[in-house]
Amino acid sequence: MVKLFRLSSSLLGRHFFSKSLLSSSLIRTTKYLNYPCSSAFAGRFHMHKVLAMAETTSSSSSSHSHTNRLSAEHSPYLLQHAHNPVNWYPWGEEAFAEARRRDVPIFLSIGYSTCHWCHVMEVESFEDEEVARLLNDSFVSMKVDREERPDVDKVYMTFVQALYGGGGWPLSVFLSPDLKPLMGGTYFPPDDKYGRPGFKTILRKVKDAWFSNRDMLVKSGAFAIEQLSEALSASASSKKLPDELPQNALRLCAEQLSQSYDSQYGGFGSAPKFPRPVEIQMMLYHSKKLDDAGNYSESKKVLQMVLLTLQCMARGGIHDHIGGGFHRYSVDERWHVPHFEKMLYDQGQLVNVYLDAFSITNDVFYSSLSRDILDYLRRDMIGPEGEIFSAEDADSAEHEGAKKKKEGAFYTWTSQEIDDSLGEHSTLFKDCYYVKPLGNCDLSRMSDPHDEFKGENVLIELTDTSALARKYDLPLEKYLDILGECRRKLFDVRSIRPRPHLDDKVIVSWNGLAISSLARASKILMGEAEGTKYNFPVVGCDPKEYMTTAEKAASFIRRHLYNEQTCRLEHSFRNGPSKAPGFLDDYAFLISGLLDLYEVGGGIHWLVWATELQDKQDELFLDREGGGYFNTPGEDPSVLLRVKEDHDGAEPSGNSVSAINLIRLASMMTGSKSEYYRQNAEHLLAVFESRLKDMAMAVPLMCCAAAMISVPSHKQIVLVGHKSSLEFDNMLAAAHAAYDPIRTVIHIDPTDDEEMEIWEGNNSNIALMARNNFAADKVVALVCQNFTCSPPVTDPRSLKALLLKKQSSVV
């Protein structure tokens, strides 16, 4: 084994790495990256829940004992720490210069405002005067919001993962004044426990090591960055993948996930259980590919895995039955007791997989879940100009005036509270949601091992609603109506509780995910049967309202986070744009959302903006020689690593989304533009050939992209006609009714000169089809492959029937 670097044995013991490990498993983003705990302490400290909850810190308080430089920042996370006794600096040259002037190491703490364990470490350590003295005397301390500066977080998270094989938040790293990492970890308790050093001990030992072993520490840190940079700057050895690999990768990924499938409670893997929509997307696509190939039994088997997972999630406590939306993850195998924070990136992705499930099954159960999430976003997460906020915290005060916060306080119920709120229907409701007088967190030994929720109930559906309706001798519709009214009453009761903290930061990438789901819902939900009933918290609005919400969010980004002169994005917004530039994920996720916005009937300007952003993304991030996209523009010298990210985890990777964007754009254009997009997609995928071959389960969305680009001829649906008519909306809904991830929808009005000019410049075939098939009194649809088209149809039913035919018989 080749020794790469070693940290002081007086700090952490000896750590050795081989180059082969560093270039594979050690640098791999862990499957549970967003699990906010320290793997180093997971066995000793109970990372699912806490016993001592974070104190309320009020930014509106008129007097504070301490105020530091974070008080001038916009980030909610940094502002939460503005009155710690620690002399915090934000990331920037002022802090770097101070460390150089004092010749002391930097302590870097990275987290985010809704991170539960970040709150815990603040209360235990950063509000402690003794810890503050240790930090202030011997270090320059910096705070970073990982949502505001994912580029900084990526550097030091990668280092900690390489060091320990895992990571999480809060991320705690010691740096040299030139920003090289010396050592790090995640959450540290304040005092020594169970034979492990506490934060105070670590601070003293790092201080001592800085003076006694500085050269070794600095050399180790520099060498670590050098090795990580080499390992993470992958280049392709060829311009495209081997012919057989795309389908093999998709199959391998599905096989690997199937081996971890929980046939009793759904999901892939054991507790803690994360939704991981990218895995569901991949399995749905694999199921369709099997069906297209005539392997119906295997296709159905794969589909049933997905549907059971979606059902169990929806019925579990990870789903907020009262207010809608989903929490971050479940601590047990039954999706029951969650970590209660709500993240925008989860909501956007989950809407899309529930929409896909509805498109496949035509079961309103899945469409209602999509509405449930979107109605939650529209009610609680939308700003005054249509911007969509990033997250809600897990913790909140148990009552007004309480000095401490508790995880889940806003969401859990006592049996008595439900009796008092629901009266005659309380027994029926409690029967449905497994509510018990002593609390219901007893379904798994992992649900509440330390009785933190004793006497509390996390709502979960364990019994089929039809059976319960029969038990109460009620028609099913009446039973569901009663449950809906009960949820509405509990929502009103809950609304007067102290709310969890809202992180009202607007992140471009996460808004892109939400824009996609809102746009797609506006047409897919038109497929619900006429007269479909909805119960609270689903509003039951006209699906067109979701399109309006999507366009408002996209317009906010264009107004506030896009520079029309430079064509560049900013990363986030709160009281103005952040200091961070747009990153790869911002461009890729927003382009994806804009393509969806256009394809479901949005104006041509959304498509034009998507192509402009793609051009800028290529300019800023594309490795033209080696293939693929870096995560940052590479313009900030304080960010020491430039990574080609591939891991599809809680969020898809920017490279996976980019590959699919390029494939979609290639199918819309012709000539050199189409070829340029396709070649970039092929080269990108070739960069990650070894991952697709050996670790397919880590890159499920990239497996989809590889399979998509291997399809020789994609289906295009071209709609021609006036766009302001109900007929046009109905034809768009028909075009999007069936599940087909590689379908492209193009719509054009030949009487719109601007639109015709745009298509003449990008795909003259579309303009020609529009001229030849225009009828003033109807909407004409053509289904094409390689722009060889079927005879035109003029009604939604005929279009749906045409799209259900096997792809080979369309032309």
Side-chain angles (χ1 to χ4, degrees):
M1 182 176 283
V2 180
K3 183 168 66 176
L4 293 185
F5 62 89
R6 182 178 66 193
L7 299 186
S8 169
S9 59
S10 65
L11 295 176
L12 294 173
R14 296 182 177 182
H15 298 270
F16 298 93
F17 299 103
S18 73
K19 188 165 184 177
S20 62
L21 284 174
L22 188 59
S23 62
S24 56
S25 62
L26 286 177
I27 63 165
R28 188 166 61 248
T29 306
T30 60
K31 193 172 180 68
Y32 304 117
L33 183 61
N34 279 2
Y35 181 38
C37 74
S38 163
S39 59
F41 291 97
R44 298 289 189 178
F45 295 92
H46 308 288
M47 309 310 286
H48 304 320
K49 297 284 170 278
V50 296
L51 301 175
M53 294 295 170
E55 272 190 54
T56 305
T57 54
S58 172
S59 59
S60 61
S61 175
S62 58
S63 62
H64 298 281
S65 300
H66 306 278
T67 299
N68 57 53
R69 288 168 177 80
L70 301 185
S71 62
E73 296 296 304
H74 291 167
S75 158
Y77 176 62
L78 300 190
L79 290 171
Q80 287 172 351
H81 294 265
H83 301 291
N84 296 162
V86 177
N87 185 22
W88 292 115
Y89 287 76
W91 182 267
E93 182 54 38
E94 183 185 10
F96 310 154
E98 180 66 6
R100 291 192 298 267
R101 185 188 69 79
R102 290 175 53 196
D103 193 27
V104 295
I106 291 167
F107 171 66
L108 174 63
S109 175
I110 302 177
Y112 54 103
S113 75
T114 59
C115 164
H116 175 67
W117 282 94
C118 301
H119 301 330
V120 175
M121 194 164 178
E122 179 188 16
V123 171
E124 293 178 341
S125 293
F126 303 144
E127 291 182 351
D128 182 84
E129 296 286 349
E130 182 185 356
V131 170
R133 275 195 304 275
L134 289 168
L135 283 169
N136 295 341
D137 290 348
S138 303
F139 302 88
V140 169
S141 300
M142 285 195 293
K143 267 284 174 192
V144 166
D145 182 339
R146 72 107 177 171
E147 294 170 357
E148 192 173 68
R149 293 301 304 260
D151 54 338
V152 176
D153 176 63
K154 183 66 181 178
V155 173
Y156 301 107
M157 180 63 76
T158 302
F159 169 77
V160 169
Q161 287 174 326
L163 202 61
Y164 302 113
W169 295 279
L171 186 65
S172 305
V173 191
F174 296 91
L175 317 178
S176 63
D178 63 352
L179 308 181
K180 302 298 192 302
L182 308 176
M183 62 156 286
T186 52
Y187 163 82
F188 293 110
D191 300 304
D192 300 352
K193 286 185 179 179
Y194 307 111
R196 293 184 179 271
F199 191 49
K200 295 172 190 174
T201 297
I202 288 170
L203 290 175
R204 293 185 182 103
K205 289 188 174 292
V206 173
K207 173 190 172 183
D208 293 343
W210 180 250
F211 290 106
S212 62
N213 292 299
R214 179 184 314 196
D215 289 346
M216 183 274 292
L217 286 174
V218 172
K219 286 178 182 177
S220 295
F223 195 56
I225 288 295
E226 178 185 323
Q227 293 296 306
L228 289 169
S229 180
E230 179 183 331
L232 293 167
S233 56
S235 293
S237 57
S238 64
K239 294 292 186 180
K240 61 184 298 186
L241 293 171
D243 290 343
E244 73 284 353
L245 182 55
Q247 300 308 322
N248 287 345
L250 192 71
R251 176 186 50 77
L252 176 62
C253 186
E255 287 175 356
Q256 290 173 340
L257 284 175
S258 297
Q259 290 169 6
S260 65
Y261 174 64
D262 183 340
S263 60
Q264 188 170 7
Y265 303 118
F268 303 96
S270 56
K273 279 189 173 176
F274 292 76
R276 284 194 277 277
V278 288
E279 295 177 348
I280 295 173
Q281 284 180 269
M282 190 283 306
M283 293 295 274
L284 287 175
Y285 186 46
H286 181 55
S287 173
K288 176 174 170 51
K289 297 282 285 183
L290 290 169
D291 185 81
D292 290 344
N295 192 345
Y296 304 119
S297 61
E298 189 64 24
S299 171
K300 184 177 180 180
K301 179 181 175 183
V302 172
L303 178 61
Q304 288 306 314
M305 292 183 192
V306 171
L307 297 181
L308 179 65
T309 297
L310 293 176
Q311 291 164 16
C312 290
M313 285 166 48
R315 293 183 172 124
I318 193 174
H319 174 214
D320 180 2
H321 295 273
I322 302 302
F326 280 77
H327 301 294
R328 179 74 274 271
Y329 63 84
S330 168
V331 304
D332 55 61
E333 72 280 8
R334 300 191 64 158
W335 304 101
H336 183 203
V337 178
H339 175 53
F340 286 91
E341 69 180 325
K342 290 181 174 180
M343 307 300 296
L344 178 58
Y345 58 76
D346 283 325
Q347 316 307 324
Q349 293 179 90
L350 285 169
V351 169
N352 271 331
V353 294
Y354 277 106
L355 287 172
D356 289 341
F358 171 68
S359 295
I360 294 166
T361 65
N362 207 34
D363 186 339
V364 73
F365 173 86
Y366 303 105
S367 64
S368 291
L369 263 295
S370 297
R371 286 179 174 272
D372 168 291
I373 301 167
L374 292 176
D375 292 345
Y376 155 67
L377 291 180
R378 294 176 74 219
R379 183 180 59 245
D380 291 341
M381 299 292 283
I382 306 287
E385 295 185 61
E387 68 275 29
I388 309 178
F389 300 140
S390 62
E392 286 193 296
D393 206 343
D395 302 356
S396 59
E398 293 187 84
H399 54 81
E400 288 295 340
K403 292 185 177 180
K404 294 188 180 241
K405 292 184 178 183
K406 179 180 178 182
E407 179 166 14
F410 186 71
Y411 299 101
T412 60
W413 300 89
T414 66
S415 180
Q416 188 62 52
E417 284 175 323
I418 290 174
D419 288 340
D420 294 343
S421 302
L422 301 184
E424 63 173 319
H425 294 310
S426 65
T427 300
L428 178 150
F429 184 88
K430 291 193 293 185
D431 215 3
C432 177
Y433 289 105
Y434 187 61
V435 175
K436 300 165 66 178
L438 298 180
N440 72 352
C441 299
D442 55 3
L443 291 173
S444 167
R445 61 181 180 81
M446 303 183 73
S447 297
D448 188 27
H450 307 291
D451 291 332
E452 296 169 61
F453 292 111
K454 188 174 183 178
E456 300 287 332
N457 292 273
V458 177
L459 303 184
I460 181 172
E461 296 180 67
L462 296 180
T463 308
D464 179 68
T465 50
S466 297
L468 287 171
R470 290 193 297 271
K471 175 181 176 179
Y472 287 93
D473 196 24
L474 290 169
L476 179 59
E477 185 174 316
K478 177 65 174 175
Y479 176 78
L480 295 175
D481 287 345
I482 292 171
L483 285 178
E485 280 307 306
C486 288
R487 290 193 294 267
R488 187 188 301 274
K489 288 179 181 178
L490 292 179
F491 178 86
D492 291 340
V493 171
R494 197 175 80 172
S495 295
I496 63 175
R497 294 176 176 177
R499 288 195 66 89
H501 158 73
L502 170 68
D503 188 327
D504 57 357
K505 182 166 65 269
V506 181
I507 298 173
V508 170
S509 56
W510 298 359
N511 270 247
L513 294 172
I515 288 166
S516 170
S517 64
L518 285 157
R520 294 183 70 237
S522 72
K523 289 300 176 287
I524 292 173
L525 293 178
M526 289 178 67
E528 292 174 318
E530 189 173 346
T532 298
K533 286 198 66 176
Y534 310 97
N535 290 293
F536 192 84
V538 175
V539 174
C541 67
D542 186 328
K544 290 179 183 177
E545 294 184 28
Y546 296 131
M547 184 67 166
T548 301
T549 305
E551 292 192 308
K552 284 182 177 179
S555 296
F556 178 90
I557 293 171
R558 178 118 200 187
R559 281 195 309 275
H560 294 288
L561 288 163
Y562 179 69
N563 186 310
E564 298 283 353
Q565 282 69 50
T566 64
C567 299
R568 293 180 69 149
L569 290 168
E570 304 294 331
H571 172 62
S572 64
F573 181 98
R574 188 176 187 272
N575 299 326
S578 67
K579 300 170 186 174
F583 303 111
L584 174 61
D585 288 2
D586 296 310
Y587 285 83
F589 294 9
L590 180 58
I591 290 167
S592 178
L594 294 175
L595 291 176
D596 285 328
L597 201 51
Y598 166 73
E599 287 202 43
V600 300
I604 189 73
H605 61 283
W606 297 124
L607 177 58
V608 171
W609 192 26
T611 61
E612 291 171 350
L613 287 172
Q614 187 63 58
D615 290 344
K616 184 57 63 172
Q617 177 183 316
D618 292 352
E619 176 188 324
L620 295 173
F621 306 99
L622 180 62
D623 181 353
R624 295 186 184 275
E625 294 298 319
Y629 293 97
F630 292 105
N631 65 328
T632 72
E635 299 166 339
D636 185 345
S638 71
V639 180
L640 304 184
L641 288 178
R642 204 173 178 217
V643 176
K644 291 181 186 176
E645 180 65 68
D646 63 354
H647 181 256
D648 297 316
E651 302 169 56
S653 78
N655 273 297
S656 295
V657 175
S658 293
I660 294 174
N661 290 344
L662 291 166
I663 295 166
R664 294 175 71 180
L665 287 167
S667 72
M668 290 183 174
M669 311 301 176
T670 54
S672 60
K673 288 188 177 180
S674 177
E675 190 61 22
Y676 170 80
Y677 291 135
R678 184 175 182 85
Q679 286 177 356
N680 279 350
E682 289 175 338
H683 200 188
L684 181 161
L685 291 166
V687 173
F688 305 106
E689 177 180 343
S690 63
R691 293 283 268 164
L692 290 164
K693 189 183 299 180
D694 302 327
M695 284 293 299
M697 194 170 74
V699 289
L701 195 62
M702 192 169 287
C703 290
C704 292
M708 288 174 184
I709 205 168
S710 70
V711 176
S713 178
H714 289 200
K715 188 183 298 181
Q716 294 101 6
I717 304 165
V718 182
L719 302 180
V720 181
H722 295 304
K723 297 186 181 182
S724 58
S725 65
L726 177 61
E727 290 79 7
F728 195 84
D729 264 358
N730 289 336
M731 289 293 270
L732 276 168
H736 289 277
Y739 171 75
D740 188 353
I742 58 173
R743 164 199 56 217
T744 299
V745 179
I746 296 169
H747 46 86
I748 183 168
D749 182 348
T751 65
D752 186 323
D753 292 339
E754 180 185 5
E755 195 171 7
M756 289 293 286
E757 183 180 350
I758 289 168
W759 283 114
E760 285 283 8
N762 290 280
N763 189 337
S764 59
N765 293 330
I766 297 292
L768 181 62
M769 278 191 276
R771 288 194 196 94
N772 292 343
N773 292 278
F774 178 65
D777 60 343
K778 60 185 68 174
V779 179
V780 177
L782 302 103
V783 179
C784 314
Q785 288 176 262
N786 283 336
F787 297 97
T788 302
C789 303
S790 65
V793 295
T794 57
D795 68 277
R797 183 173 296 179
S798 298
L799 177 57
K800 285 183 181 179
L802 192 57
L803 293 173
L804 288 174
K805 290 183 180 180
K806 290 294 183 184
Q807 197 165 22
S808 60
S809 65
V810 170
V811 294

